[in-house]
């Protein structure tokens, strides 16, 4: 085969080859999300005129406005925190840079609901901060009330979620910003102008992916939002389902949520040009910051690190120290092991599926495939309970079939699939596939088309190309995907709670049991354990991005 | 898809072991939204006494009902233990609980704390009443829940969020007592009197009264008892007042934790026996002392901390009655902007 004949991949890229195959390949993976979704939406078909009248008049207007405002503010906040931090630690030199480069990822290990209850405990009227103010000034009435406040919630969510943006933006700056920056500076741009005109546009897909993850987290979050008693779309869904016991109305709300997410995804995709990225291996000096800028940079890093990790951890450790004598027992090994096991297995499943999805989408660019892939990674934006119930319904149905089928053999067990981890793993995988997919897809985008075309012209088939070209180049991205999912699963609460079997309590379940009884100090012990177990993958993740950066010191 | 295989293998292995097992008493599977730390020791005691193994799974009350409904006929659960009468009533109305005949339960549980149709039984009482800061409020100024809606308490009241079932049940009781329009006016008055944003838990609410953020509040007594057991001095900064003590004021609001046997129970006999045991005089002490609730069984004695709060007039309304107004109460709270 000569390189002069038009290569098939090129034709396929332009949509000139039949395109049904991509859809066929992506669909089985998408079913992971689509089946639970269909199970829930199937409940939405019964009209609920009466309750909708109530929701429409008293609940939805405020809830919709709240959700939009929260997403906007948290989105702006994570960008304002994550991107500058990524730039500073990737491209500049200032005191403490090496420490902050990895320390700023640590908040990823703290679940948002834990951060929320810790910050609430610190800053509420009866908390230590305001108590100290009252001792000093006689009154703390002037201090803004954190309870039920929007600013407090935005702060907590931004501090909990900025690492997603920080991590992805940083790896973008590290791997491709350097040579461009050199060129830009050679053309006479100042470092600041080079950042805004060259580095930022180049890193956009990564920053966009990070932002998408954060916004989906905000949409689906229930724990942190409940601590602040803030009403979002998710709380309206909980209210209809668990308080008004109207499953149909809840399912209808869930369908609206899905629709909103699809619009978001479509907008995000539309705004993104099909850019090509090349990893460059240029060795380059960091920009050495001078004078006050050095201290400003270090101070900013320190401020974020203290607020997002050091101070809350100190409070958690203090609480944990006050109870560990009575509360710490051998059960904790079991909780920690369950947590770790779930994280590992789900991460493995998600990474594998994400790789297949990213690869299918790469090879088949028709609209049908693209939308199938988008649907497959929708789970991340859905509240965990929606997925959990959506997984339960089909599994219970399957179980009933299996039992009927086995009954003649005299076997009467209580549910073959329900008695296993299947439900839990399926629901977790459906939720976190998006996390793995974004990280894998970003890495996939860095492989140039010409490399693929070269493989094709050498006569390598698609599977060989995947094995010999993609996998080696994707290793970093896949490992990042694996570790991100792992940390996320360890922090996850609603799905684990609802789909687990007896004896499958994780650390997050433990936190739930204690916080639901407002035993904050006792809940600090499992929370601390989550952070300690979660720090392992976070540190690995950090070393990974450091190492993947060519020429990084 | 290896875990499917694993699951199937595990299932098959389970079947094989079941087939070989000695006829031990069948296990009872409990779905509970009650605090595990305190429930588990009691259940372990049952296992020691009877040899019946108990599988315990905890979650939020609402989630457990949804789970039971989704699992349907193949559900492993035998017993559902929940807190709050609204949850119990709802589970029964959805057909998740079965009717049981038990003279022993009927003797141990007073009539207004159990389902008239025998689908669920209260196992402990949890009173929800008024708390105040003694330096800033005189007990003589306090009277009823309804009175806290009076403008004289403006900026002095602390309440818990309307998303919590305890708040919903209290409002449901107001509806059962006064009808919707008057209950709505009361809830509106409460919202107008709030000192700060509503609390997500009673523990923080009581601490806020002590810290001086507000002067009065409504909370469940056992949270107060729990703080007292750790900080005996707390009783000086926050005191308990039994609400609605007057002859025609209707008495203090009493909520429940309770249990029922699930509709698809595989071991309904074992489930009933466990409930009977839990309602018995000796066990009621263990069941309520750690939690600072009041025993449902009138023969059992409450914890000394609880006894120190003295006698009170409980509301005579039936729990099922109040439970049936729960959904109405939630909508009422939405209407008055009680978050």
């Amino acid at each position: 085969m000569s390189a002069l004949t038009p290569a098939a991949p090129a034709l396929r890229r332009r949509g000139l080859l039949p395109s049904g195959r991509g859809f066929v390949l992506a669909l089985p993976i998408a079913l992971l999300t689509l089946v639970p979704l269909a199970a829930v939406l199937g409940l939405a078909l019964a009209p609920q005129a009466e309750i909708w009248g109530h929701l429409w008049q008293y609940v939805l207007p405020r809830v919709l406005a709240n959700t939009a405002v929260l997403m906007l503010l948290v989105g702006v906040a994570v960008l304002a925190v994550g991107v500058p931090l990524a730039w500073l630690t990737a491209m500049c030199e200032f005191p403490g840079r090496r420490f902050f480069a990895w320390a700023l990822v640590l908040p990823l290990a703290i679940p948002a609901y834990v951060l929320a209850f810790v910050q609430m405990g610190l800053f509420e009227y009866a908390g230590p901060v305001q108590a100290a103010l009252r001792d000093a000034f006689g009154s703390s009435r002037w201090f803004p009330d954190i309870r039920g406040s929007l600013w407090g919630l935005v702060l907590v969510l931004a501090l909990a979620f900025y690492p997603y943006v920080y991590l992805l933006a940083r790896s973008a700056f590290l791997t491709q910003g350097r040579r461009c920056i050199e060129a830009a500076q050679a053309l006479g741009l100042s470092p600041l102008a080079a950042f805004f005109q060259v580095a930022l546009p180049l890193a956009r897909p990564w920053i966009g992916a990070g932002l998408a993850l954060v916004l989906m987290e905000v949409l689906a979050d229930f724990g942190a939002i409940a601590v602040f008693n803030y009403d979002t779309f998710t709380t309206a869904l909980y209210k209809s389902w668990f308080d008004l016991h109207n499953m149909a109305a809840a399912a209808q709300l869930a369908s609206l949520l899905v629709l909103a997410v699809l619009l978001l995804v479509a907008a995000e995709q539309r705004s993104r040009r099909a850019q090509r990225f090349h990893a460059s291996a240029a060795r380059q000096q960091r920009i050495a910051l001078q004078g006050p800028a050095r201290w400003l940079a270090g101070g900013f890093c320190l401020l974020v690190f203290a607020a997002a990790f050091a101070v809350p951890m100190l409070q958690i450790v203090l609480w944990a120290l006050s109870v560990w004598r009575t509360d710490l027992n051998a059960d904790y090994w079991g909780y920690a092991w369950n947590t770790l096991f779930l994280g590992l297995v789900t991460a493995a499943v998600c990474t594998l599926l994400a790789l297949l999805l990213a690869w299918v989408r790469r090879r088949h660019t028709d609209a049908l495939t693209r939308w199938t892939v988008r649907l497959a990674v929708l789970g991340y934006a859905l509240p965990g309970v929606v997925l959990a119930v959506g997984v339960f319904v089909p599994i219970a149905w399957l179980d009933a079939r299996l039992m009927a089928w086995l009954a003649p053999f005299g076997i009467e067990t209580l549910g073959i699939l329900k008695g296993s981890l299947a439900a839990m793993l399926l629901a977790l995988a459906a939720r976190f596939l998006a996390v793995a997919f974004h990280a894998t897809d970003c890495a996939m985008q860095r492989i140039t088309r010409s490399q693929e075309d070269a493989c094709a012209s050498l006569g390598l088939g698609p599977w060989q190309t995947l094995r010999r070209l993609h996998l080696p180049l994707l290793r970093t991205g896949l490992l990042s995907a694996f570790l991100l999912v792992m940390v996320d699963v360890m922090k996850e609460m609603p799905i684990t709670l609802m789909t687990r079997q007896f004896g499958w309590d994780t650390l997050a379940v433990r936190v739930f049991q204690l916080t639901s009884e407002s035993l904050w100090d006792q809940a600090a012990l499992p929370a601390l354990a989550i952070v300690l177990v979660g720090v392992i993958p976070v540190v690995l993740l950090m070393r990974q991005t450091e190492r993947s950066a060519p020429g990084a010191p | 898809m290896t875990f499917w295989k694993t699951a199937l293998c595990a299932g098959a292995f389970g079947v094989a072991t079941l087939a070989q097992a000695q006829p031990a008493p069948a296990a009872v599977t409990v779905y509970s939204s009650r605090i595990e730390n305190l429930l588990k020791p009691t259940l372990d005691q049952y296992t020691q006494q009877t040899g019946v193994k108990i599988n315990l799974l905890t979650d939020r009350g609402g989630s457990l009902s949804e789970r039971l409904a989704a699992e349907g006929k193949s559900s492993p659960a035998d017993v559902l233990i929940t807190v709050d009468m609204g949850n119990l009533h709802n589970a029964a109305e959805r057909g998740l609980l079965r009717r049981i005949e038990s003279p022993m339960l009927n003797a141990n549980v007073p009539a207004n704390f159990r389902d008239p149709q025998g689908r669920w039984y209260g196992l402990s009482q949890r009173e929800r009443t008024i708390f105040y800061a003694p330096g800033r409020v005189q007990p003589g100024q306090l009277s009823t829940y309804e009175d806290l809606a009076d403008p004289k308490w403006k900026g002095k009241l602390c309440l818990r969020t309307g998303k919590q079932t305890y708040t919903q049940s209290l409002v449901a009781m107001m509806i059962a007592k006064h009808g919707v329009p008057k209950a709505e006016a009361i809830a509106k008055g409460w919202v107008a009197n709030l000192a700060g944003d509503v609390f997500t838990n009673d523990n923080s609410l009581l601490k806020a009264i002590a810290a001086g953020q507000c002067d009065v509040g409504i909370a469940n007594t056992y949270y107060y008892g729990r703080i007292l057991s750790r900080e005996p001095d707390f009783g000086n900064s926050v005191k308990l007042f039994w609400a609605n003590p007057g002859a025609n004021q209707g008495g203090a609001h009493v909520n429940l934790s309770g249990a029922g046997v699930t509709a698809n129970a595989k071991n309904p006999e074992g489930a009933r026996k466990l409930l009977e045991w839990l309602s018995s005089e000796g066990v009621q002490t263990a069941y309520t002392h750690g939690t600072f609730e009041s025993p449902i069984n009138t023969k059992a004695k409450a914890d000394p901390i609880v006894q120190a709060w003295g006698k009170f007039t409980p509301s005579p309304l039936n729990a099922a009655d109040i439970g049936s107004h729960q959904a109405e109460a939630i909508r009422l709270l939405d209407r008055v902007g009680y978050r």
Side-chain angles (χ1 to χ4, degrees), chain A residues 385-419:
Chain A
V385 282
V386 174
L387 275 177
V389 172
V391 164
F392 252 122
V393 171
I395 282 204
W397 179 85
L398 265 178
D399 256 350
R401 292 284 159 286
L402 277 172
M403 277 163 74
W405 184 65
L406 290 171
F409 301 99
I411 299 171
E412 289 189 1
T413 52
L414 291 170
I416 303 195
L417 301 172
K418 253 198 312 294

Side-chain angles (χ1 to χ4, degrees), chain A residues 182-191 193:
Chain A
E182 278 175 6
Q185 286 182 307
L187 292 171
L189 289 177
S190 71

Side-chain angles (χ1 to χ4, degrees), chain B:
Chain B
M1 300 311 261
T2 49
F3 57 85
W4 290 94
K5 284 186 195 159
T6 318
L8 283 169
C9 289
F13 178 72
V15 172
T17 46
L18 274 178
Q20 295 167 357
Q22 294 298 316
V28 176
T29 299
V30 177
Y31 281 11
S32 154
S33 58
R34 198 173 157 76
I35 181 165
E36 184 178 5
N37 287 17
L38 299 160
L39 179 62
K40 203 164 174 355
T42 315
L43 295 179
D44 287 345
Q45 201 187 338
Y46 184 71
T47 306
Q48 275 173 1
Q49 283 181 21
T50 60
V52 174
K53 184 170 175 290
I54 295 183
N55 301 314
L56 176 64
L57 186 106
T58 52
D59 199 345
R60 291 185 183 88
S63 302
L64 287 175
S65 296
E66 288 311 328
R67 183 171 176 158
L68 273 176
E71 285 174 345
K73 281 200 166 45
S74 59
S75 173
D78 299 308
V79 173
L80 176 69
I81 299 183
T82 97
V83 297
D84 191 87
M85 42 178 84
N87 284 332
L88 288 165
H89 177 80
N90 172 264
E93 287 302 297
R94 289 177 71 182
L96 300 172
L97 301 176
R98 67 169 67 193
R99 191 191 174 116
I100 44 178
E101 297 287 340
S102 166
M104 185 169 163
L105 276 169
N106 291 344
N108 287 342
V109 181
N112 60 332
F113 294 138
R114 61 173 195 252
D115 181 38
Q117 298 174 46
R119 293 166 299 179
W120 53 261
Y121 291 83
L123 289 175
S124 60
Q125 295 183 46
R126 356 181 90 194
E127 300 79 20
R128 190 161 187 78
T129 187
I130 299 174
F131 290 85
Y132 66 99
R136 304 188 293 277
V137 175
Q138 297 309 316
Q141 298 167 275
L142 294 163
S143 58
T144 62
Y145 303 109
E146 291 84 348
D147 173 67
L148 292 179
D150 188 292
K152 71 182 175 205
W153 297 107
K154 197 166 180 57
K156 295 180 176 166
L157 179 66
C158 270
L159 290 175
R160 184 166 176 166
T161 171
K163 293 185 188 66
Q164 234 304 328
T165 53
Y166 303 130
T167 304
Q168 294 161 6
S169 288
L170 181 65
V171 174
M173 178 177 100
M174 293 290 154
I175 294 175
K177 252 168 93 170
H178 305 296
V180 172
K182 192 172 171 198
E184 194 159 337
I186 292 165
K188 207 177 236 147
W190 285 347
V191 174
N193 288 342
L194 284 175
D197 206 79
V198 288
F199 288 76
T200 46
N201 64 80
D202 286 359
N203 204 52
S204 308
L205 189 151
L206 291 167
K207 292 273 183 187
I209 297 176
Q213 190 173 2
C214 40
D215 298 344
V216 281
I218 301 176
N220 282 5
T221 52
Y222 59 87
Y223 290 102
Y224 184 57
R226 196 185 295 154
I227 301 177
L228 285 178
S229 72
R230 296 180 178 198
E231 311 163 30
D233 294 344
F234 191 77
N236 302 328
S237 40
V238 176
K239 286 205 181 321
L240 178 150
F241 176 85
W242 288 117
N244 302 46
N248 48 9
Q249 291 176 336
H253 174 56
V254 179
N255 208 319
L256 303 172
S257 86
V261 180
T262 60
N264 292 310
K266 305 286 178 292
N267 184 4
E269 274 303 289
R272 181 179 53 85
K273 284 192 181 120
L274 175 65
L275 293 192
E276 287 173 349
W277 183 81
L278 284 172
S279 71
S280 63
E281 187 185 338
V283 184
Q284 277 285 299
T285 317
Y287 191 77
T288 56
H289 277 214
T291 55
F292 305 102
E293 295 163 294
S294 309
I296 205 87
N297 186 325
T298 45
K299 295 193 203 77
K301 283 241 181 303
D303 187 283
I305 288 183
V306 177
Q307 288 182 41
W309 301 331
K311 285 261 178 285
F312 68 99
T313 317
S315 159
L317 287 171
N318 186 299
D321 235 16
I322 296 176
S324 65
H325 289 293
Q326 195 98 351
E328 229 169 329
I330 292 164
R331 294 180 185 207
L332 186 156
L333 290 166
D334 278 339
R335 287 199 298 272
V336 301
Y338 185 132
R339 296 180 41 243

Side-chain angles (χ1 to χ4, degrees), chain A residues 221-238:
Chain A
D221 184 82
F222 184 72
I225 281 165
V227 173
F228 280 84
N229 197 32
Y230 189 76
D231 294 345
T232 65
F233 208 82
T234 303
T235 52
L237 204 156
Y238 265 75

Side-chain angles (χ1 to χ4, degrees), chain A residues 193-504:
Chain A
F195 167 70
F196 278 109
Q197 291 176 23
V198 181
L200 212 49
L202 274 174
R204 219 183 105 181
W206 279 266
I207 296 172
L211 185 63
L213 288 180
V214 171
L215 291 180
M216 284 179 153
E217 279 273 14
V218 172
L219 256 184
D221 184 82
F222 184 72
I225 281 165
V227 173
F228 280 84
N229 197 32
Y230 189 76
D231 294 345
T232 65
F233 208 82
T234 303
T235 52
L237 204 156
Y238 265 75
K239 182 191 286 268
S240 313
W241 197 334
F242 296 110
D243 291 352
L244 295 167
H245 305 291
N246 192 321
M247 198 122 169
Q252 286 158 0
L253 287 171
S255 2
L256 278 183
L257 190 65
V258 171
L259 201 67
V261 175
L262 281 178
L263 288 175
L264 268 181
V265 172
E268 198 254 342
Q269 300 283 348
R270 193 161 285 264
S271 72
R272 221 197 268 185
R273 296 264 73 83
Q275 300 164 358
R276 297 189 180 185
F277 302 93
H278 302 255
S280 76
R283 220 184 149 69
Q284 177 231 2
Q285 290 305 307
R286 292 173 185 279
I287 304 164
L289 295 177
Q290 303 299 333
R294 302 169 55 201
W295 302 109
L296 274 177
F300 180 45
C301 291
L302 183 64
L303 183 73
V304 174
F305 176 69
F309 192 80
V311 173
M313 278 312 285
L314 185 69
Q315 175 69 77
I316 291 174
V317 168
L318 285 175
W319 271 335
L321 281 177
S322 68
V323 298
W324 72 272
R325 276 177 213 287
T326 48
D327 282 27
L328 192 62
N329 52 29
D331 290 349
Y332 270 84
W333 289 114
Y335 303 141
W337 166 246
N338 289 345
T339 306
L340 205 63
F341 176 85
L342 273 188
L344 285 168
V345 175
T346 313
V349 171
C350 283
T351 312
L352 184 69
L353 294 179
L355 171 65
L356 291 174
L357 264 190
W359 189 66
V360 167
R361 198 176 106 160
R362 173 82 169 198
R363 296 186 53 83
H364 304 274
T365 50
D366 55 291
L368 189 61
T369 309
R370 275 208 310 272
W371 276 103
T372 314
V373 170
R374 266 170 225 169
L375 286 173
V377 297
L378 203 65
Y380 199 57
L382 294 176
V385 282
V386 174
L387 275 177
V389 172
V391 164
F392 252 122
V393 171
I395 282 204
W397 179 85
L398 265 178
D399 256 350
R401 292 284 159 286
L402 277 172
M403 277 163 74
W405 184 65
L406 290 171
F409 301 99
I411 299 171
E412 289 189 1
T413 52
L414 291 170
I416 303 195
L417 301 172
K418 253 198 312 294
S420 71
L421 291 176
M424 182 149 66
L425 286 172
L426 281 174
L428 286 171
R431 174 145 166 64
F432 293 118
L433 184 57
V435 180
F437 176 75
H438 279 299
T440 313
D441 196 47
C442 282
M444 191 68 99
Q445 286 191 23
R446 279 188 227 170
I447 297 169
T448 61
R449 295 287 183 192
S450 51
Q451 285 170 311
E452 285 179 357
D453 292 350
C455 284
S457 63
L458 289 170
L460 294 179
W463 289 106
Q464 285 173 302
T465 310
L466 176 68
R467 198 166 54 80
R468 296 174 59 174
L469 170 76
H470 293 95
L471 278 184
L473 288 174
L474 288 176
R475 227 181 33 225
T476 311
L478 289 175
L479 192 64
S480 300
F482 183 91
L483 293 169
L484 268 176
V485 174
M486 190 168 154
V487 175
D488 259 339
V489 171
M490 287 178 178
K491 294 189 295 184
E492 203 282 336
M493 195 190 281
I495 292 180
T496 316
L497 261 181
M498 201 156 173
T499 55
R500 75 192 198 281
Q501 301 305 316
F502 351 106
W504 264 95

